[in-house]
Amino acid sequence: MERVGRMFLYLIVLLKNQNKRDMRTILMYIYFLTCVVCQLMAGNDVPESNISFKGIVEIKGTPISFNYRYQPVTQEVGIVFHNGFLIYKNSNEPLRALDVREKKIFVELGAWGDYPAKFFNPHICLPKSDSILCYIEDEGFIYNVYNNGEVEKTKQRSYSWNHEMGGNRVAIIKNFVDMTEGVWLFAGKSSKGQSLYITENKGKESETSELLPLFLDTDIADWSLYLGNLVARKDRKKAVYAYTYYNRLQFIDLEKKTSHIVKQPGKGYDYNTLNQADVDQLNLLYYRYCYPGEKYVYFLNLGGRFFKEIQKDNKSGDTYVYIEQFDWEGNPIRKMKLDKFGYFFCVDEENGKLYLVEKKEKGAPFYEYDIFSGVEAIRMTK
């Protein structure tokens, strides 16, 4: 009931400030919150269902090179596929757009890191429109990257100045989604753990508001339990949140403002490790990354392994990750086992290609996979 009360309080705040918002936006918020409140009062916060895959398809990748001097892949990287290009981020090298067909660098978008680099800690965002190559989010600011490689800093913010106070910024999930002009969706820390947030830019002002809770059925309110990744379908009607420490996915209908969880067997977060150092090494690891297609959505699952088990497997040459494919309703399509290990990937759904960034010290880290390999091809119809 505490959550119901907070929802109604938020409705009151919205109504009192409606002169500051356009009516369509406030009606969207009211409808969304009403649906959530109805679910809570019905005693059914988020419906859950158990799923399983019929089997696992093993796929071997083909190494590809873009003919430049590569840096080791040891930390977090970023990669998206759009308009025939891979937009790639790695430590100690500039942000780059790579031409998949020509296998060469298309354009360098700028160095990142300490001053005087152009960016500090950029995050690549896949746009809803094909008229733009990608967005770059950096420290709360949004940059447009046009199809000719030109980079333009906008006046938009991904989260408001007020939101980044109080330790919120360190807990923001960096998968920002452009909803409509000047409106951004993201996930981050909340009073109960994790929530969806929306930022609305109006002129020189930006406001970030909490939309939907993403915490699971637990009495412990700590954001680190619910770390994960957020993606949305290109039409922005569907979204999904994938949990790192739970074998669960939360599918969200952004039109109906409802959600449901699909889960597979697996132990969740070990609460005894909560206040210990290196908790990521003391808990089983599941969903590390996800990527949206127009018809399907794809998830990189580490297989419920401890970090030390992953290290042992990789050292022995048993390198692999799982890619799980779902439709946007949460129905499992197939599970693939790739022959290389990495945390980040992207998908060219139209041509049935998946690009994995292998975690490695030397050489080109890119591998191309035919995601129809070994199974009957599924037609990618729009």
Side-chain angles (χ1 to χ4, degrees):
M1 292 305 294
E2 177 187 355
R3 289 164 62 186
V4 175
R6 285 192 288 110
M7 292 293 184
F8 276 116
L9 179 61
Y10 189 60
L11 279 172
I12 294 171
V13 173
L14 283 174
L15 290 171
K16 288 176 66 177
N17 293 277
Q18 62 177 316
N19 61 320
K20 298 180 181 178
R21 299 170 177 267
D22 60 60
M23 186 54 66
R24 188 172 71 172
T25 300
I26 192 171
L27 287 175
M28 177 186 73
Y29 288 166
I30 292 173
Y31 178 64
F32 170 84
L33 292 170
T34 301
C35 291
V36 173
V37 169
C38 289
Q39 283 188 339
L40 294 174
M41 294 181 70
N44 185 21
D45 288 14
V46 181
E48 296 186 355
S49 59
N50 296 304
I51 63 99
S52 62
F53 291 90
K54 294 182 179 179
I56 299 175
V57 179
E58 296 190 8
I59 305 177
K60 291 187 176 181
T62 301
I64 58 174
S65 175
F66 294 93
N67 299 309
Y68 69 92
R69 182 174 295 179
Y70 302 98
Q71 296 297 319
V73 177
T74 58
Q75 302 180 38
E76 177 181 337
V77 303
I79 188 167
V80 302
F81 176 88
H82 195 221
N83 293 349
F85 298 96
L86 297 177
I87 302 91
Y88 178 59
K89 167 194 172 183
N90 187 27
S91 301
N92 302 314
E93 59 182 281
L95 293 179
R96 293 186 170 104
L98 308 173
D99 189 319
V100 172
R101 186 181 65 178
E102 299 293 333
K103 299 295 187 295
K104 65 179 184 180
I105 296 173
F106 170 63
V107 66
E108 291 192 351
L109 303 175
W112 67 278
D114 295 332
Y115 183 82
K118 185 173 185 177
F119 305 105
F120 178 66
N121 186 23
H123 298 85
I124 306 166
C125 308
L126 188 65
K128 63 185 294 186
S129 172
D130 292 336
S131 65
I132 196 167
L133 184 60
C134 70
Y135 295 106
I136 294 173
E137 191 280 340
D138 189 31
E139 298 295 288
F141 294 99
I142 299 294
Y143 297 76
N144 294 332
V145 181
Y146 297 102
N147 286 319
N148 63 1
E150 179 186 349
V151 180
E152 176 192 42
K153 185 177 182 180
T154 74
K155 296 180 179 180
Q156 296 184 37
R157 285 189 59 85
S158 53
Y159 49 87
S160 67
W161 290 107
N162 289 335
H163 182 78
E164 72 174 78
M165 299 297 121
N168 287 326
R169 186 169 68 173
V170 298
I172 289 175
I173 306 299
K174 302 296 185 178
N175 307 111
F176 296 94
V177 176
D178 60 321
M179 297 298 292
T180 59
E181 180 63 30
V183 179
W184 292 85
L185 185 75
F186 68 95
K189 173 184 175 182
S190 65
S191 60
K192 290 289 187 178
Q194 288 278 357
S195 290
L196 273 186
Y197 290 88
I198 195 163
T199 298
E200 184 181 7
N201 290 274
K202 289 285 189 178
K204 296 181 179 180
E205 302 296 324
S206 61
E207 182 176 352
T208 298
S209 307
E210 185 177 353
L211 281 186
L212 175 71
L214 294 172
F215 50 88
L216 301 174
D217 186 18
T218 173
D219 294 329
I220 299 180
D222 190 289
W223 62 271
S224 62
L225 274 65
Y226 310 115
L227 288 174
N229 282 270
L230 170 74
V231 293
R233 198 166 67 185
K234 189 173 184 178
D235 61 11
R236 302 309 190 241
K237 295 180 180 180
K238 303 280 187 178
V240 64
Y241 189 79
Y243 297 87
T244 298
Y245 299 121
Y246 296 86
N247 208 7
R248 299 185 186 185
L249 305 168
Q250 184 163 175
F251 285 84
I252 304 163
D253 189 314
L254 294 173
E255 285 193 316
K256 297 179 180 178
K257 310 302 182 291
T258 57
S259 65
H260 71 280
I261 289 174
V262 299
K263 59 182 181 179
Q264 300 180 70
K267 181 182 177 181
Y269 196 100
D270 182 355
Y271 302 146
N272 294 322
T273 69
L274 188 57
N275 296 318
Q276 298 184 35
D278 300 324
V279 294
D280 59 324
Q281 299 187 29
L282 301 175
N283 282 274
L284 295 173
L285 301 171
Y286 295 98
Y287 293 106
R288 186 63 178 84
Y289 197 61
C290 49
Y291 198 81
E294 291 192 49
K295 189 171 183 179
Y296 301 106
V297 58
Y298 306 83
F299 304 89
L300 190 151
N301 195 323
L302 295 174
R305 292 180 287 171
F306 287 106
F307 183 75
K308 62 181 180 181
E309 293 177 320
I310 295 173
Q311 286 184 312
K312 181 180 178 181
D313 288 340
N314 290 346
K315 188 175 181 179
S316 68
D318 186 18
T319 57
Y320 68 92
V321 291
Y322 297 106
I323 299 293
E324 297 176 356
Q325 180 183 2
F326 287 77
D327 68 21
W328 283 97
E329 302 302 321
N331 299 307
I333 303 301
R334 61 184 159 179
K335 185 172 184 176
M336 296 165 274
K337 185 178 182 180
L338 309 186
D339 65 335
K340 298 296 179 180
F341 178 82
Y343 292 128
F344 299 93
F345 74 100
C346 60
V347 176
D348 172 7
E349 196 173 64
E350 182 178 354
N351 294 300
K353 302 296 183 181
L354 180 148
Y355 299 95
L356 177 75
V357 180
E358 185 185 21
K359 192 172 185 295
K360 63 188 304 184
E361 292 287 340
K362 296 180 180 179
F366 305 104
Y367 283 81
E368 182 182 83
Y369 292 84
D370 180 358
I371 58 175
F372 295 154
S373 177
V375 295
E376 182 180 354
I378 296 176
R379 292 180 60 84
M380 297 289 184
T381 57
K382 296 184 179 179

